[in-house]
Amino acid sequence: MTVQDAPAQQVPLVRLDPTGADHHGEAARLRELGPVVRVELPGGVRAWAVTRHRHLADLVADPRVSKDWHRWNAIRDGEIPDDWPLTGMVKVTNMVTADGAEHHRLRRLVTRTLTPRRVQDLRPRITAVVDGLLDALPGHAGPDGTVDLRQHFAYPVPMQVICELAGVPEHERPRMRELVDSIFRSTAGPEEVLRTQHDIHELLGRVVDARRRDPGDDLTSALIAARDEDPDALSEEELVGTLWLMVSAGHETTLSLIVNAVRALLTHPDQRALALAGDDGTWAAVVEETLRWDAPIGNFLARYPVEDIEIAGVTVPAGEAVLAPYSAVGRDGDQHGPDAGRFDITREQRRHLAFGGGPHICLGAPLARLEATIALPALFARHRDLALAVDPGELVPVPSLISNSVRTLPVRLGTPAAACPVGP
């Protein structure tokens, strides 16, 4: 990351690393530069970043700020091509990019299906998925005894759950995973970007067609039924866009949450000991502290003021993009105290923005929390000697300025708890 010449108002300009090689180092430098910083995204695209919790919390609830990408001057003026690496994160048609009544209309359709009761009713199924993956985990060990916990545990838990919930057939899931990985990869080349956009619509079109022919008790069938009942309630493009949102967000963020929580506990033995000695509430604290300290989404695009607004004394012009840098905000000392950079599951003040805020707060947050609070204690109960198989510094980050996690998480399982000799 390099600091460029400051534009008007003496706001620093920072070029963000598209490979995400050092999310937290970059986030710390953003905080040091001030509460509002100009950033440069891949392709020389400019945006603003709000690095303080209180200012970002105000921004995400501000009615003068839109989520509609059509309001971004750079897109409207043709400065951002269709093959831009982050286009799959921005130019989508679903509740994330809708405002006001349109946002409420699209969100309501999902909340009818993804109710708190429905989420809690998934507990037995999530537990069964987790137990099955833990049973199979030792069989994935390589010749050196290591297992990639991301590949064989953290990934399949949310992918299986969200695909079952959405009604995605099993044979479509491997390609679905590749497409999700691709849209979060901010180093993707033009050909990959265009191919990914095409294949997303092709795959989801097949899913919708399959559920039309054979409806089930799933989100896709519910959305199709809503559209059949009232075509004005949901366009075909919105149906596909909503399905993509639920599958991609429901997989990627929970995957990284589980990986980041395991990594945090394995590199903080004192916190691991507290977690193992605690109860369900302790594991909930592990999840919340991970979300604050090592958020699955490092940076999130974007919001667009509909009029000039002032943030921390800086005027952000209408129609410019504002980035939410969750990695920076999660360790904001003004919000979390002088030890904000420390992973501490006993922390009293842990309010964070990892799931966003305001009217657009993540609908899938309860499901993500439920999956993580089932998966993590089950993993550590089964493998109490779990240990990283490499030095933490050898873990390779996901190549993304959006996703914040590592490509692999090689571990040694140790002796399964069930196989440990029972004492007198």
Side-chain angles (χ1 to χ4, degrees):
M1 181 181 75
T2 58
V3 179
Q4 309 296 313
D5 293 335
Q9 305 180 76
Q10 299 302 307
V11 178
L13 173 64
V14 177
R15 181 178 297 122
L16 298 183
D17 179 6
T19 71
D22 183 15
H23 267 280
H24 287 293
E26 187 172 73
R29 291 189 285 274
L30 287 174
R31 284 194 305 272
E32 291 170 1
L33 290 170
V36 181
V37 180
R38 284 288 265 168
V39 294
E40 184 176 296
L41 305 172
V45 175
R46 300 284 176 86
W48 301 80
V50 179
T51 70
R52 298 295 188 272
H53 177 103
R54 67 186 181 94
H55 295 309
L56 187 59
D58 289 343
L59 180 79
V60 298
D62 193 329
R64 300 172 300 166
V65 179
S66 172
K67 289 279 285 178
D68 184 355
W69 56 268
H70 296 90
R71 293 182 178 272
W72 191 358
N73 294 342
I75 288 180
R76 188 187 60 213
D77 297 341
E79 298 174 9
I80 298 179
D82 289 340
D83 60 5
W84 186 50
L86 301 180
T87 193
M89 300 298 301
V90 175
K91 297 174 70 172
V92 293
T93 304
N94 53 48
M95 72 182 82
V96 168
T97 59
D99 297 320
E102 290 297 288
H103 171 251
H104 181 68
R105 171 178 62 85
L106 294 170
R107 191 177 179 98
R108 185 177 65 246
L109 291 170
V110 178
T111 57
R112 287 178 184 174
T113 301
L114 198 62
T115 63
R117 172 71 178 272
R118 177 68 178 270
V119 170
Q120 286 302 317
D121 285 348
L122 289 170
R123 181 180 291 274
R125 179 57 187 149
I126 297 170
T127 300
V129 168
V130 167
D131 287 345
L133 292 169
L134 289 175
D135 288 344
L137 204 55
H140 294 294
D144 62 352
T146 66
V147 177
D148 180 2
L149 203 68
R150 176 186 172 97
Q151 171 75 14
H152 299 295
F153 184 69
Y155 153 67
V157 169
M159 181 57 98
Q160 189 163 336
V161 170
I162 197 63
C163 283
E164 289 179 5
L165 182 63
V168 178
E170 191 164 351
H171 70 274
E172 299 281 17
R173 295 175 192 176
R175 181 57 179 154
M176 181 75 79
R177 177 199 178 183
E178 294 172 353
L179 295 173
V180 173
D181 288 348
S182 179
I183 66 158
F184 281 92
R185 190 182 306 121
S186 43
T187 56
E191 290 185 5
E192 179 183 349
V193 171
L194 294 175
R195 183 174 61 252
T196 294
Q197 295 304 304
H198 173 270
D199 288 359
I200 286 171
H201 286 86
E202 288 280 316
L203 190 155
L204 294 178
R206 293 195 299 271
V207 172
V208 170
D209 287 345
R211 295 283 70 81
R212 276 204 173 99
R213 293 191 304 271
D214 183 22
D217 182 22
D218 55 70
L219 176 63
T220 304
S221 298
L223 292 174
I224 292 170
R227 174 160 166 71
D228 290 345
E229 180 181 337
D230 178 9
D232 292 334
L234 188 72
S235 71
E236 193 74 10
E237 184 180 9
E238 289 169 340
L239 192 162
V240 170
T242 299
L243 178 57
W244 175 245
L245 168 65
M246 298 308 295
V247 173
S248 60
H251 156 239
E252 180 71 17
T253 53
T254 309
L255 156 63
S256 295
L257 169 57
I258 294 172
V259 168
N260 293 359
V262 172
R263 177 175 56 165
L265 291 173
L266 295 185
T267 54
H268 295 80
D270 59 328
Q271 301 301 302
R272 172 180 176 161
L274 290 173
L276 291 175
D279 54 17
D280 290 348
T282 306
W283 285 103
V286 169
V287 170
E288 296 308 310
E289 180 67 348
T290 302
L291 288 166
R292 178 201 74 82
W293 184 76
D294 203 13
I297 301 297
N299 301 292
F300 193 69
L301 283 164
R303 285 174 166 81
Y304 320 96
V306 298
E307 61 184 68
D308 293 358
I309 62 172
E310 185 175 300
I311 306 173
V314 176
T315 299
V316 177
E320 298 207 357
V322 183
L323 179 80
Y326 295 131
S327 288
V329 170
R331 299 189 185 185
D332 174 14
D334 293 344
Q335 173 72 10
H336 299 290
D339 67 341
R342 183 164 62 91
F343 180 73
D344 179 7
I345 67 173
T346 68
R347 187 180 302 276
E348 292 184 9
Q349 164 59 289
R350 199 181 290 111
R351 181 170 176 263
H352 58 75
L353 293 169
F355 288 121
H360 281 275
I361 192 166
C362 179
L363 258 181
L367 178 58
R369 287 183 165 111
L370 180 63
E371 290 177 281
T373 52
I374 291 173
L376 292 168
L379 170 67
F380 281 92
R382 188 82 68 99
H383 299 287
R384 297 185 73 87
D385 298 329
L386 191 71
L388 279 177
V390 298
D391 184 274
E394 295 178 39
L395 296 172
V396 180
V398 171
S400 174
L401 63 83
I402 306 294
S403 283
N404 168 45
S405 194
V406 290
R407 294 188 189 187
T408 62
L409 190 65
V411 298
R412 297 188 188 280
L413 299 176
T415 305
C420 289
V422 179

